[in-house]
Amino acid sequence: MVEQSGKAPAAHFDVLIVGAGISGVGSAYHLQEQCPWASYAILEMKDTFGGTWDTHKYPGVRSDSDLYTFGYRFKPWVGAPIASADEILKYMGEVIEENGIGDHIFYGHRITDCSYSRDDDLWTVEATRLEDGAELRFTCNFLWMCQGYYDHEKPYIPPEWSEKGLSDYKGDFFHAMQWDPDYDYSGKRVLVIGSGATAATVVPAFAEKAAHVTMLQRSPTYFFCSENKNELADRLREIGVDEPTVHRIVRQQVMFDQDLMTRRCQEEPDVVFEELKELVRAFTETPDFEFEPHFTPKYRVWQQRLAFCPEGDVFRAAVAGKLTVVTDTIERFTEKGVRVSSGEEIEADLIVACTGFNLLVMGGIPFSVDGKPVDWSETVTYRGAMHTGVPNMVWVMGYFRASWTLRVDMMGDFVCTMLNHMRDKGVSQIEVALRPQDQGMEILPWIESDNFNPGYLMRGIDKMPRRGAKSEWRHNQDYWAERDAFPLIDFDGPEFVYSGDHAIGADQEEADSVAA
């Protein structure tokens, strides 16, 4: 039972996991399986699990990664590769129920402060329980940050829109992240502003019931059209292969195909773009489909995620006359809609902004170590997981080109191996530090802008941890390289600094012994 105390620790755990989304739930599973000695709790701000899949409720919300790799490696996925938010939440709920994870989750707890003491080898986490405003305190030896990377409460709306008269618009307006599921858009003229993965999802959904949909974009996005099925999975099931084996084989196949696509995008981007065009022509049955100017992006094909387009639904809506695409910039909002730079006014009953996220490093939570506030932009990241000057903490930051969850599973192995290693050494504190051979290493922004450059990341890049020029000191976004590198990490290497004269978890074992 967690007491309402403003001073004395309310509850102590070996490990605290922050967030009950796809990262937090997966991390909890790995901790239970690989470190059964560890007590743990999950602190979740929302009143339910799911994270991003609970936040987003706009029409048609679905994954933009296949579930054979976006699902966990330990839980077979048995549906179509691209799944709705409801299907993903059902899958996550099964993981929680089947593994008893729900008993460890504290819902409705907003963390207000995290402070670490090297003298005590201890994190102190302050939180507010939202249902009654009670201020609670938790302590832990190790902090596992799984809260994601963006603000779930305040989406990004371009600040210049206020100057361009957004308040003059008299119709209905939503940011996609704040969509009201009860809103009826049947028969309405809908204007979607944006062209990324969210726009690619809502446009075909709106087109089913709206009078007409217009997609206004500053620049086009690359789309990958495919049937929403996996022929290998279907064939394996047809011949009677069990689901765990199907999941393992198909997961391997998808990862192989993703690796091949990534390399081809880098080595022959023009060829890949022509192949993407051919898929559009095939799904729309329109050999002369016109790609200029609305479907020819300005950036290289590997610099941002490909927007998945099941069955070519966005393009089929355009061919059917249900969708109009306008590539232009907003000059001003009007009472009836938007006037673009060409002078055209786009009238709409409903405007939906698909303009992205606000980056939020570590959930925007204030952190301190030994009384000194942590400025994440002054830290250097070790493999995108740990940070110089911050002991006993990891941050799960997934992949952008490959499925996020691939790194959740990988980080689960990394953290649990590290915790068990600390226990074997009889120490309670670990942190990373630049090695003697790293002195003089160039320190750079978190990622190269010509490697991966979505708007939310570029807007907030100065708030992110820094990277070093060497591969160990960066999150390289290459799952296939990290898959080989992570199992070879030497936890006795010079980059790991240990201290503390008692084994992690020993305090909890002693408390349990006394209680018994």
Side-chain angles (χ1 to χ4, degrees), residues 194-301:
S195 61
T198 302
T201 299
V202 300
V203 161
F206 282 139
E208 292 179 2
K209 295 193 296 183
H212 191 75
V213 180
T214 301
M215 184 170 75
L216 172 60
Q217 58 181 12
R218 286 182 304 173
S219 61
T221 295
Y222 289 101
F223 290 88
F224 176 72
C225 299
S226 176
E227 294 180 300
N228 191 15
K229 66 179 183 179
N230 185 289
E231 293 183 356
L232 176 58
D234 293 342
R235 178 57 178 156
L236 291 173
R237 291 187 180 113
E238 183 181 8
I239 63 176
V241 176
D242 62 277
E243 287 296 343
T245 302
V246 172
H247 186 70
R248 178 174 55 81
I249 293 174
V250 174
R251 186 178 173 90
Q252 191 70 23
Q253 176 230 356
V254 172
M255 289 189 291
F256 176 85
D257 291 346
Q258 288 175 344
D259 184 27
L260 179 61
M261 173 62 85
T262 299
R263 286 189 281 110
R264 292 192 61 229
C265 285
Q266 295 170 341
E267 296 168 2
E268 46 182 10
D270 294 337
V271 175
V272 170
F273 187 27
E274 290 304 315
E275 293 173 357
L276 297 177
K277 290 179 182 179
E278 284 304 311
L279 289 172
V280 172
R281 297 185 182 108
F283 277 97
T284 59
E285 299 180 348
T286 308
D288 58 349
F289 188 95
E290 184 57 56
F291 289 88
E292 294 283 356
H294 304 305
F295 296 105
T296 304
K298 298 177 182 178
Y299 58 90
R300 292 192 296 275
V301 72

Side-chain angles (χ1 to χ4, degrees), residues 357-384:
F357 310 124
N358 283 311
L359 188 71
L360 196 62
V361 181
M362 301 299 171
I365 300 166
F367 275 75
S368 62
V369 174
D370 294 335
K372 180 181 178 181
V374 175
D375 181 344
W376 297 106
S377 67
E378 293 180 354
T379 68
V380 180
T381 182
Y382 175 76
R383 299 188 185 275

Side-chain angles (χ1 to χ4, degrees), residues 47-59:
D47 59 6
T48 187
F49 63 88
T52 192
W53 302 108
D54 175 72
T55 294
H56 298 284
K57 295 178 169 63
Y58 52 79

Side-chain angles (χ1 to χ4, degrees), residues 6-20:
K7 295 182 179 180
H12 176 79
F13 300 91
D14 294 325
V15 179
L16 274 179
I17 296 172
V18 178

Side-chain angles (χ1 to χ4, degrees), residues 15-309:
V15 179
L16 274 179
I17 296 172
V18 178
I22 197 79
S23 299
V25 171
S27 298
Y29 173 88
H30 288 296
L31 184 65
Q32 288 186 175
E33 290 296 305
Q34 300 184 49
C35 299
W37 52 265
S39 63
Y40 80 95
I42 303 174
L43 297 183
E44 168 57 53
M45 183 183 68
K46 292 173 174 288
D47 59 6
T48 187
F49 63 88
T52 192
W53 302 108
D54 175 72
T55 294
H56 298 284
K57 295 178 169 63
Y58 52 79
V61 57
R62 67 193 180 204
S63 64
D64 63 349
S65 297
D66 75 283
L67 263 294
Y68 288 97
T69 56
F70 189 77
Y72 304 113
R73 75 180 183 215
F74 56 83
K75 168 75 171 173
W77 176 256
V78 297
I82 300 300
S84 68
D86 287 343
E87 291 170 323
I88 294 170
L89 289 172
K90 179 177 181 291
Y91 173 84
M92 291 182 65
E94 291 173 355
V95 172
I96 291 171
E97 182 176 357
E98 291 167 1
N99 298 284
I101 295 172
D103 295 338
H104 299 265
I105 304 176
F106 291 86
Y107 291 114
H109 284 62
R110 183 188 294 272
I111 297 175
T112 57
D113 186 79
C114 293
S115 58
Y116 187 79
S117 167
R118 285 193 175 91
D119 290 339
D120 300 326
D121 302 337
L122 202 67
W123 281 101
T124 299
V125 177
E126 309 284 354
T128 299
R129 190 166 57 204
L130 300 181
E131 66 176 5
D132 58 8
E135 296 183 358
L136 307 176
R137 177 175 290 174
F138 299 81
T139 62
C140 67
N141 300 109
F142 199 90
L143 196 57
W144 201 332
M145 298 298 293
C146 299
Q147 81 299 326
Y149 61 95
Y150 68 91
D151 191 329
H152 285 248
E153 297 176 301
K154 297 177 182 177
Y156 176 72
I157 297 176
E160 63 269 21
W161 282 13
S162 295
E163 301 172 2
K164 294 183 178 183
L166 177 58
S167 61
D168 294 339
Y169 175 61
K170 302 305 181 186
D172 296 321
F173 176 88
F174 290 98
H175 189 284
M177 199 170 88
Q178 297 174 324
W179 177 261
D180 178 2
D182 295 327
Y183 183 88
D184 184 8
Y185 54 88
S186 300
K188 295 184 182 292
R189 298 169 299 172
V190 180
L191 171 59
V192 174
I193 303 178
S195 61
T198 302
T201 299
V202 300
V203 161
F206 282 139
E208 292 179 2
K209 295 193 296 183
H212 191 75
V213 180
T214 301
M215 184 170 75
L216 172 60
Q217 58 181 12
R218 286 182 304 173
S219 61
T221 295
Y222 289 101
F223 290 88
F224 176 72
C225 299
S226 176
E227 294 180 300
N228 191 15
K229 66 179 183 179
N230 185 289
E231 293 183 356
L232 176 58
D234 293 342
R235 178 57 178 156
L236 291 173
R237 291 187 180 113
E238 183 181 8
I239 63 176
V241 176
D242 62 277
E243 287 296 343
T245 302
V246 172
H247 186 70
R248 178 174 55 81
I249 293 174
V250 174
R251 186 178 173 90
Q252 191 70 23
Q253 176 230 356
V254 172
M255 289 189 291
F256 176 85
D257 291 346
Q258 288 175 344
D259 184 27
L260 179 61
M261 173 62 85
T262 299
R263 286 189 281 110
R264 292 192 61 229
C265 285
Q266 295 170 341
E267 296 168 2
E268 46 182 10
D270 294 337
V271 175
V272 170
F273 187 27
E274 290 304 315
E275 293 173 357
L276 297 177
K277 290 179 182 179
E278 284 304 311
L279 289 172
V280 172
R281 297 185 182 108
F283 277 97
T284 59
E285 299 180 348
T286 308
D288 58 349
F289 188 95
E290 184 57 56
F291 289 88
E292 294 283 356
H294 304 305
F295 296 105
T296 304
K298 298 177 182 178
Y299 58 90
R300 292 192 296 275
V301 72
W302 70 87
Q303 287 182 303
Q304 297 183 24
R305 283 188 73 107
L306 285 174
F308 189 82
C309 190

